[in-house]
Each structure stands twice: as structure tokens, then as C-alpha cells.
Amino acid sequence: ADFNYGADEYDAEGNEEPKALPEGSETMPYIDESPTMSPQLSARGQESGDGVSPTPTDGLGTGGEREAGKGLEMRKLVLSGFLASEEIYINQLEALLLPMKPLKATATTSQPVLTLQQIETIFYKIQDIYEIHKEFYDSLCPKVQQWDSNVTMGHLFQKLASQLGVYKAFVDNYKIALETAEKCSQSNYQFQKISEELKVKGPKDSKESHTSVTMEALLYKPIDRVTRSTLVLHDLLKHTPADHPDYPLLQDALRISQNFLSSINEDIDPRRTAVTTPKGETRQLVKDGFLVELSEGSRKLRHVFLFTDVLLCAKLKKTAVGKHQQYDCKWYVPLADLVFPSPEESEHCPQVHVIPDHELEDMKMKISAIKSEVQKEKANKGQSRAIERLKKKMFENEFWLLLNSPAIPFRIHNRNGKSYLFLLSSDYERSEWREAIQRLQKKDLQAFVLSSVELQVLTGSCFKLRTVHNIPVTSNKDDDESPGLYGFLHVIVHSAKGFKQSANLYCTLEVDSFGYFVSKAKTRVFRDTTEPQWNEEFEIELEGSQSLRILCYEKCYDKTKLNKDNNEIVDKIMGKGQIQLDPQAVQTKNWHMDVIEMNGIKVEFSMKFTSRDMSLKRTPSKKQTGVFGVKISVVTKRERSKVPYIVRQCIEEVEKRGIEEVGIYRISGVATDIQALKAVFDANNKDILVMLSDMDINAIAGTLKLYFRELPEPLLTDRLYPAFMEGIALSDPAAKENCMMHLLRSLPDPNLITFLFLLEHLKRVAEKEPINKMSLHNLATVFGPTLLRPSEGESKVHLTLASDIWSHDVMAQVQVLLYYLQHPPISFTELKRNTLYFSTDV
């Protein structure tokens, strides 16, 4: 079921209309709505040459391991689906031809309904198209009915493609045919009656004998059909072995069809047009999507539509059930008047109120908890009403997150005065919008003002034209859609080439979590080069992620352009690209190398994925000489210290030069640097201090986190873990205080002293929150699981869902650390003296 709930004056709805392609992609944005199959077109699939599968083939095996038998079965499925839609198409053409004969007969009488010339224009080439498809259908049908491995049908498709010239003639005449039909309808009542209700025969095995369709709708069908044939060719090729006799024939047919499509792609579908531009050209929808607008100080979710010559910002009106939904136009800017203000110009724009990170993190925790409740209810065959209620709650929370997390400003200014401000969570998306607008602005555009009627027509067309139907939250996904990956993605960004001139270059990595994209990591700037060699490794936490994006920037050092607004990214995007994270491909233990090509630039990177339950393991070190993976008591005894040397040194360095670093402890350090520091500490090398003073501060922070993460048992111990979980759940403040202090007292001395030492450091980091953006809550989120998560033997090995473990335990682990961080200073001697409250052992 598709759960969609309206929220905050916005109605999310789940209309499954086939998605249309943006202008300029391989395939025309026309798609048939016949009931047999409704391919979901994706622009990505078209560009990469992947086939676009019609629905029946989903989930039946992937890639190279498909056996010939399955491939054969898939081809039959594709073909029988296509045949069924071909039958409907032939019936539609027949219905169109039916009135032609009697009309011709009356044309030569004294009372003609239409003249021969008009009939010729309206029905131009329909007879030829009908004959071509009837012959194709009659030849293909018996082959599919007597299906076996020797069947060949490539020649039929090749012949069909070779007859596309007839379609070219039809398309060239299409506009005039429509106009003529419309004029004749207005002037002749008889023809109007005929053209309003043409009877189309139902398929052989369907209950409906006839359906009524307008002539206008039927005249559009041939344009639709070419796209359908092209899609089917994609699918057939995908499931035809390269050595099959059909393969070259199908390839040839696809090439002809695609060339034909791109040549007529300019001819427009009336459903995709909304009034015309001032120059009399058709106005087309180029891009649409959901964006958050900052309007009068509050965040609103808008549906933004980019047409050939105008940007329109709308919201979906609330309508009664069953009523046709409509958009309400909030504002529009003709592209001729639209400018992007430079950072200096936007200084007087409203400042963005950024929601504190800890509130966003809290909300993510809540959503994860509800997700696992939904899973539990489903597993226990729970009541659908309870599941429905949970999903509604989840939608509301995800909607809140979608609305409140974006912080990258995307400013739009109308030359005639008004400025508008959108907030995006991804610079990738911001640049996609900007580039789409700039591409259109290269054409010779005119300024205009829409009359209220024109605006109404344009806004009215948005509902039909839109390509994005659902608010991008995970609760709008179907149950059988991929839930995405949960765990850690390790990415090494190696190098890039293809730059025309030397520049200061760096990359950022974005992944989607909770339905929208966020930036997760950033390489260092490689100065003055055309071939940057970063070779940096990052560990990125995935929360239901399906894609990885890489953006390559040129660093801007011009002081005048640097904006006061932290989130304003003034660096120039040199290129951007994305890849799907395929769970099968990614979940190998080995590194998988890949290249993303963008804008003439090639970025090389490698990645591997560790699922969350794998990354939860604490593995004791084999050798007891180092410090990583060695019990804390062993290390402090060997060093004759109260707090391990590694902890003291890393904390000292962070306090010296990292305490004002934005995102300290949250931003990943470079993995190779961290590994180098780990080796130096393990070997107790004399150069430790020199190396620390030279090292990037995020790597030092990362080394400290890694040390605690690799302890063979957590700093707050396995033995006390269940008691910490119970203590934090107490609701009486006095009882909680008593229990939580007693638990600290029960820790071994090295653990307790180290914990208190770290606690005071984290409090000092949080004091600088206005500068470093790290609140106590952020720090608790980063360190809680690291200090508390039980080691392998203790944690339940039979965990089912990665997201389950995540939500409940992690929330509690964060809460435990947060409790101590928010507590007034705790001193070791006071704790030890103060045993009178609570002396029973846990």
C-alpha cells in the first residue's frame, strides 16, 4: 500500500502516473497510459543505455548470472505485454478510421459534414499506420503463442522501425490535424458529436466491450506508440544474449527508433503544453520538484515548476476527497527577468534560521524507532490500523525533517524587485536547478506578464505535467522498494583528470538518508593542479541510502566573495556525478574501484560497504604490546599512568587547535592519516608529538574515536551495560541520579578516571558550540555508542534488522552519555567518598 499523508498545509499524494522524461533526453516525453504496462522512465537509465523495464519483469533476476532459460522467459513476458498493448493500439486506430468512410461518402453529396480536404488532413496517414501495425501484430502473435527457444522476431521489429517514415509524416501533420478537427467541431454539430465519442473495442479477453474516447485523444496515440516500441526494444535487448540471431536486428531497430525520436522530440505533446510563450512557441515543462521556501520567516514546502521561459512556485491546494487536485501559484518569475544574486548582493537577504543539529538527530532517532516498531508489527501480523497509525506518525516526523534540515541557500531574484529564497540540503541539487535555468536563459527570451487567465491555465497544467508525484520521504515508498543500505560505506577518493587548466580542487561526497541528500565528507584542497591526487579515505554512515554523489569544486580564495552566511557555498562546481549503491555489488569484503565521469572530468574512487552489525564488532588485538584493541587496564599499568597516553595526547592537541573547528569529532578524518597515527601510537614511536602537531585535526579526533571504538570491551564495560540501560530508563530524577552515580562508582579505576577526563574535555568542546557547531547532544551522538556499545559476546548476535539495533540501543547509549555531559562536574574523589547512598551491588 502507498501511505501518503498531508502535512503542514501540503497534501502529499500518491498518484502513480507514469513519469515523463525531461526535455533533451533520448526519449520523447510521451508515454501511453494503456493498462498493460506503464514503464517508469528514468532519465538515468536512458543516458546510460540501461533498458527501462516494464513492470512485469521486475525482480526476476539481475545481471550476468541470469540463465538462458530465465532470459527466454523474460523475453516472453516483455513480448506478451507488448502484444496486449499493441492489440489496444490497433483497436484505437480502427476506432479512428471507423467514421472516415461515412464522412468521405457524404463529402461529395450536397450536404457534406466535412470537405475531402479536411478529411484528408485530419485522418492523414492513419490508414497506413493501421496497416503497418496490423501486419506486425499478425506476424508476432503466433510466435509468442508458440514460444520456444528457437523463436526469432528481430526482423519484425527491424521492419517496423524501417517504416517510421510514415510516423514522421504523421507527426509533421499532427498539429494541423488537431487544429482542423477542432475548427470543424466548432462549426459542425454532427462532427462534434462524432469526435467526442469514438467507440474503441476492448481487448479480446476483457469484460469491457467498448470504451468511449475523444478523437483528440486518439490522434495522440501514434505519437505515444513510438516511445512504447523503443522501450520494448530496450527491454528485449536486455534479455537477449549477444550471440542470439535477433540481437543485431533488435540493436539496429533500436538505433533507428532512437534517432527518429530525437528528431521529432521537438514536436510537442498537447498535454505537456500550457499556453504559449510571447513568441508563439509552445511552453514546455523542463523540470519540477519539491523545494523548501523561506517565506515570511517560516519554512514552506513548495512544488517548483521550471517551464521553457518561466519559473513557477506552487503549493498543492487542499481539496475534498475525490475532487481533482489543483495547484495554487504562489509566485512566478519569467526567466528573462530572473537573476541569481551574487553572495555580496544577497547580504541584505533574510538570514537562514538553522535548526540545531541535535534536534535533527533526535528526530532521526525517533523515525528509526518508529520504523522498527512498524517492522515488529508486521512481523507479528499486527493490526493494520496500528501500522497505519505508526506510518502516519512516521510521515509527520519525516516531513518535519524534510522541511527543517535544508540549510544551503538558493536565492532567486526578479529584476523587477522581489527576491525569493529556497533552502536545499544538497549543493548537487542546487546546481542542477541553476544549470537548468541557465541553459534555458541562453535562448532569446522575452519578458512578459501573465494575465490571470493565462496564469490559471499554466497553474492548472502543473498537476498533469508534473514528473515528481510524491514528497521525497521514505514513508511514501512502497513496502517492496529497496529500503537502502544501513551501515558504513568506506570511500577512497583517488584522483581526477580532465581539467583544462590548473586550479585548487577538492571533492565532496553526498549520500541520501531519510529521503534527501546531505553532504557527508570533503577532501582536502589540492592546490594549483590539473591532476589532483587526493587518495583520501572516508567512512560514511549510511541511513537507508541508495546513491552516492561526488561533486568536484574549485576553491574560491577571493575574500570579497566569501559570505557571512556559513552555508553559502561560493566555490565553483567543476563537475558532479552520482552512482546507485547496489546492495549486491557493494556488500563484498573487497574494495570496488569505479570512475564517475562528469563534464569531461573523470574522478577515480574505490568503495566497500560494512553492514551495521558487522561494524559493531569489537575485536581484541592479537598482540598485547600496542594500545589499540588492548584492555585499558593493561595499557595504564604498562604506562604507569591514570589515563592512557593516546587519550591525553589527542585531547591536548584538539584543545590546542581544534576546539573551534566546525564539526570537530563529527567530520571524518582521512582514514589513511588515522591509520598512520594508529601505527605510531601502537609502536610507541618517538616521533608521535611531531606527527601530531603536523596532522590534520580531524584525523586526530578520528584517532581518539577509533581508540575507544577498538577497545576489546567498551569503556563503560560489558558487565554494567544492562544496568546503564535500566538506569537511564528510570523516570524518578532522584532514583536516576543515585543509580547513574553508583554505576560510575562501580567502574574500574582506569575506566572511571579516563571517562571523567574525556567528559570534561567534551564539555569544553561544547562551550564553543556557537563556533564549532558541536552541542553536548551532537557529542553524545558521536561518542555514546563508542563508549557503551557492548562487545561481540555480549551483544545479541541474532539481530534481525540493522535499523532495529540502531534505533533502540543507540538512542539509549546517546542518552546515557548526554546525562553525564549535562550533569554538574563529577569528581573522582567525591564519587569514591560518597558511597553511603547506594551500596548494594548491581
Side-chain angles (χ1 to χ4, degrees):
D2 196 358
F3 291 89
N4 293 288
Y5 302 97
D8 180 41
E9 55 145 10
Y10 201 91
D11 294 334
E13 14 56 68
N15 288 353
E16 282 303 303
E17 284 189 3
K19 294 182 178 57
L21 283 176
E23 182 189 19
S25 23
E26 274 293 326
T27 310
M28 271 168 83
Y30 309 126
I31 204 81
D32 190 346
E33 279 130 11
S34 68
T36 349
M37 328 189 275
S38 56
Q40 300 290 315
L41 288 191
S42 87
R44 209 189 121 268
Q46 296 296 333
E47 284 155 23
S48 59
D50 298 349
V52 183
S53 288
T55 329
T57 66
D58 284 356
L60 283 170
T62 53
E65 78 267 297
R66 196 186 294 103
E67 326 81 64
K70 190 165 266 187
L72 193 68
E73 189 52 34
M74 294 295 287
R75 290 174 75 210
K76 186 181 177 185
L77 275 174
V78 173
L79 283 170
S80 37
F82 183 55
L83 262 181
S85 70
E86 189 72 1
E87 184 193 344
I88 291 169
Y89 178 48
I90 290 169
N91 290 347
Q92 289 165 339
L93 292 171
E94 243 172 17
L96 200 51
L97 288 170
L98 202 63
M100 192 172 83
K101 285 195 181 103
L103 283 171
K104 271 190 174 166
T106 64
T108 49
T109 66
S110 56
Q111 287 182 312
V113 178
L114 302 182
T115 67
L116 279 172
Q117 180 63 50
Q118 287 167 332
I119 296 168
E120 195 52 46
T121 306
I122 294 170
F123 297 97
Y124 186 67
K125 295 290 177 196
I126 303 286
Q127 184 71 43
D128 298 0
I129 292 175
Y130 170 77
E131 282 162 12
I132 289 168
H133 281 269
K134 186 84 177 79
E135 184 192 345
F136 172 75
Y137 179 85
D138 292 343
S139 315
L140 185 61
C141 201
K143 286 180 179 288
V144 176
Q145 281 163 352
Q146 290 136 32
W147 186 252
D148 65 31
S149 56
N150 303 321
V151 167
T152 59
M153 42 62 204
H155 57 290
L156 298 178
F157 278 93
Q158 195 184 30
K159 184 175 179 186
L160 189 64
S162 70
Q163 293 167 312
L164 281 171
V166 177
Y167 273 91
K168 178 77 180 112
F170 174 83
V171 170
D172 290 343
N173 179 70
Y174 172 68
K175 256 188 184 151
I176 310 160
L178 265 195
E179 282 162 18
T180 311
E182 205 164 305
K183 274 186 198 142
C184 295
S185 280
Q186 285 162 2
S187 60
N188 188 305
Y189 178 68
Q190 259 180 301
F191 182 67
Q192 189 187 344
K193 291 291 287 176
I194 294 170
S195 63
E196 272 174 5
E197 278 200 29
L198 291 165
K199 295 272 183 281
V200 178
K201 256 194 334 218
K204 283 198 278 286
D205 48 3
S206 95
K207 291 189 179 67
E208 289 179 39
S209 57
H210 285 85
T211 49
S212 288
V213 188
T214 66
M215 184 173 282
E216 184 189 357
L218 289 180
L219 280 172
Y220 176 68
K221 295 298 174 189
I223 292 182
D224 228 358
R225 198 64 206 160
V226 189
T227 313
R228 174 58 62 84
S229 318
T230 311
L231 290 177
V232 168
L233 286 166
H234 262 297
D235 288 331
L236 284 174
L237 270 170
K238 206 172 171 183
H239 302 293
T240 303
D243 55 1
H244 192 285
D246 273 347
Y247 194 82
L249 301 174
L250 291 171
Q251 234 176 354
D252 192 42
L254 180 62
R255 184 184 51 76
I256 298 169
S257 305
Q258 281 182 332
N259 288 346
F260 173 73
L261 276 180
S262 43
S263 73
I264 64 162
N265 211 4
E266 304 309 309
D267 297 281
I268 304 307
D269 163 4
R271 292 176 306 180
R272 292 187 68 81
T273 67
V275 297
T276 50
T277 66
K279 297 164 106 184
E281 291 162 4
T282 319
R283 187 171 277 140
Q284 260 192 299
L285 178 67
V286 177
K287 180 176 173 62
D288 69 303
F290 290 99
L291 295 181
V292 173
E293 185 189 10
L294 198 63
S295 163
E296 292 160 4
S298 66
R299 291 166 177 254
K300 305 279 185 201
L301 190 65
R302 304 291 192 217
H303 200 148
V304 181
F305 294 86
L306 174 62
F307 289 94
T308 322
D309 64 341
V310 63
L311 184 75
L312 184 137
C313 175
K315 75 170 241 222
L316 202 57
K317 284 201 279 204
K318 282 203 166 139
T319 48
V321 179
K323 279 270 172 67
H324 185 60
Q325 284 181 304
Q326 278 298 331
Y327 281 97
D328 191 7
C329 173
K330 288 311 223 181
W331 50 264
Y332 70 91
V333 180
L335 299 190
D337 293 329
L338 187 150
V339 282
F340 299 113
S342 64
E344 313 86 90
E345 294 169 306
S346 53
E347 278 177 15
H348 54 271
C349 285
Q351 279 303 299
V352 180
H353 167 60
V354 178
I355 305 285
D357 271 356
H358 68 86
E359 285 185 30
L360 298 173
E361 290 303 322
D362 270 354
M363 187 54 87
K364 288 180 184 176
M365 294 279 191
K366 272 189 201 159
I367 293 166
S368 297
I370 298 172
K371 272 187 186 160
S372 40
E373 278 183 59
V374 171
Q375 297 294 348
K376 271 198 199 115
E377 283 286 341
K378 282 186 182 162
N380 303 335
K381 302 277 186 288
Q383 291 181 342
S384 58
R385 192 177 287 165
I387 294 177
E388 186 98 25
R389 210 172 34 248
L390 285 168
K391 286 210 171 189
K392 184 168 197 274
K393 187 88 198 117
M394 183 156 95
F395 176 84
E396 285 161 9
N397 289 347
E398 289 198 307
F399 188 89
W400 182 91
L401 199 59
L402 184 72
L403 209 55
N404 289 294
S405 54
I408 300 171
F410 176 41
R411 303 176 196 278
I412 277 166
H413 180 66
N414 184 337
R415 277 202 185 91
N416 304 324
K418 202 149 186 259
S419 286
Y420 303 95
L421 171 58
F422 291 113
L423 298 173
L424 282 73
S425 56
S426 145
D427 198 25
Y428 191 100
E429 269 148 48
R430 180 170 76 157
S431 80
E432 280 187 322
W433 278 99
R434 189 176 281 157
E435 284 164 17
I437 291 169
Q438 285 167 337
R439 253 198 312 276
L440 293 167
Q441 287 180 327
K442 284 188 181 135
K443 297 176 183 162
D444 176 24
L445 296 170
Q446 289 180 4
F448 57 86
V449 176
L450 294 174
S451 70
S452 57
V453 175
E454 284 176 317
L455 186 57
Q456 219 177 336
V457 174
L458 188 60
T459 313
S461 72
C462 289
F463 188 79
K464 248 323 195 350
L465 303 183
R466 62 199 180 143
T467 62
V468 181
H469 297 91
N470 290 332
I471 295 175
V473 290
T474 52
S475 35
N476 272 344
K477 280 188 182 168
D478 284 342
D479 293 345
D480 52 0
E481 277 187 68
S482 159
L485 295 169
Y486 286 85
F488 295 91
L489 185 70
H490 299 263
V491 181
I492 302 175
V493 182
H494 297 296
S495 59
K497 49 177 178 285
F499 296 97
K500 304 279 185 288
Q501 59 221 53
S502 289
N504 303 311
L505 303 162
Y506 70 93
C507 282
T508 63
L509 306 177
E510 290 184 356
V511 296
D512 54 318
S513 62
F514 296 94
Y516 59 89
F517 280 84
V518 277
S519 185
K520 287 282 195 174
K522 179 176 175 179
T523 67
R524 63 184 187 279
V525 178
F526 211 101
R527 294 208 167 207
D528 202 19
T529 178
T530 54
E531 293 205 357
Q533 302 281 331
W534 294 288
N535 293 318
E536 291 182 61
E537 184 185 331
F538 301 95
E539 178 183 88
I540 295 173
E541 188 170 0
L542 302 182
E543 298 164 297
S545 310
Q546 296 181 330
S547 305
L548 167 73
R549 290 171 167 177
I550 297 187
L551 293 96
C552 189
Y553 290 89
E554 178 178 359
K555 182 81 184 150
C556 162
Y557 288 110
D558 178 351
K559 287 283 182 286
T560 59
K561 285 193 183 153
L562 298 177
N563 191 304
K564 296 183 183 70
D565 185 347
N566 306 343
N567 291 300
E568 188 78 67
I569 302 166
V570 294
D571 298 338
K572 181 179 167 200
I573 296 182
M574 305 298 284
K576 60 186 191 319
Q578 79 172 12
I579 53 158
Q580 295 300 104
L581 297 173
D582 172 15
Q584 267 69 43
V586 184
Q587 281 178 348
T588 55
K589 290 210 170 64
N590 310 330
W591 286 96
H592 163 71
M593 190 151 168
D594 214 332
V595 174
I596 280 189
E597 287 204 42
M598 36 168 118
N599 213 358
I601 300 162
K602 288 184 179 178
V603 176
E604 276 197 3
F605 64 100
S606 300
M607 59 183 179
K608 68 176 178 181
F609 172 72
T610 321
S611 64
R612 195 170 258 134
D613 37 354
M614 287 304 292
S615 61
L616 291 182
K617 287 180 180 164
R618 291 180 184 270
T619 40
S621 169
K622 300 274 189 294
K623 55 183 196 315
Q624 288 298 306
T625 50
V627 290
F628 281 82
V630 178
K631 279 186 178 169
I632 195 163
S633 53
V634 172
V635 173
T636 48
K637 199 169 174 185
R638 184 194 324 133
E639 292 178 356
R640 297 194 182 86
S641 63
K642 288 183 172 167
V643 174
Y645 178 66
I646 179 170
V647 177
R648 283 174 298 154
Q649 284 314 123
C650 289
I651 285 179
E652 189 180 311
E653 201 61 38
V654 168
E655 293 202 357
K656 199 187 300 174
R657 60 192 177 92
I659 203 143
E660 295 192 346
E661 181 80 14
V662 174
I664 186 75
Y665 289 121
R666 189 172 57 84
I667 295 210
S668 321
V670 176
T672 37
D673 290 350
I674 295 173
Q675 290 307 319
L677 279 170
K678 177 182 174 178
V680 172
F681 276 112
D682 267 343
N684 195 12
N685 193 312
K686 290 188 281 301
D687 303 333
I688 289 178
L689 292 177
V690 178
M691 202 167 159
L692 276 176
S693 59
D694 285 345
M695 195 59 87
D696 171 52
I697 199 66
N698 288 318
I700 294 168
T703 306
L704 181 65
K705 287 191 296 184
L706 186 70
Y707 168 72
F708 286 120
R709 199 158 76 208
E710 290 197 354
L711 282 174
E713 90 161 343
L715 187 64
L716 299 187
T717 72
D718 284 328
R719 183 177 69 89
L720 294 176
Y721 182 73
F724 275 113
M725 292 298 104
E726 282 165 22
I728 199 66
L730 292 170
S731 30
D732 174 49
K736 187 185 267 190
E737 162 81 3
N738 233 342
C739 176
M740 298 300 275
M741 289 306 125
H742 172 70
L743 288 170
L744 284 189
R745 215 172 289 124
S746 314
L747 285 169
D749 281 3
N751 297 55
L752 175 58
I753 297 168
T754 303
F755 178 65
L756 295 177
F757 186 75
L758 176 67
L759 208 56
E760 289 315 305
H761 163 64
L762 295 179
K763 286 181 181 180
R764 286 190 290 274
V765 171
E767 280 167 13
K768 299 282 187 193
E769 184 192 353
I771 305 167
N772 64 26
K773 304 279 188 278
M774 291 302 286
S775 60
L776 289 174
H777 192 289
N778 281 354
L779 292 162
T781 306
V782 171
F783 276 97
T786 305
L787 301 178
L788 276 133
R789 194 185 62 240
S791 48
E792 182 65 11
E794 299 297 317
S795 61
K796 312 174 214 44
V797 184
H798 52 79
L799 292 161
T800 46
L801 268 173
S803 49
D804 272 7
I805 335 165
W806 170 232
S807 47
H808 295 301
D809 288 8
V810 173
M811 273 166 108
Q813 291 159 11
V814 170
Q815 291 306 320
V816 169
L817 181 53
L818 190 58
Y819 180 84
Y820 292 122
L821 283 169
Q822 290 170 339
H823 195 281
I826 306 164
S827 102
F828 178 74
T829 41
E830 283 290 303
L831 259 181
K832 287 296 185 184
R833 196 179 316 135
N834 220 341
T835 50
L836 60 146
Y837 290 132
F838 201 111
S839 53
T840 41
D841 196 19
V842 178

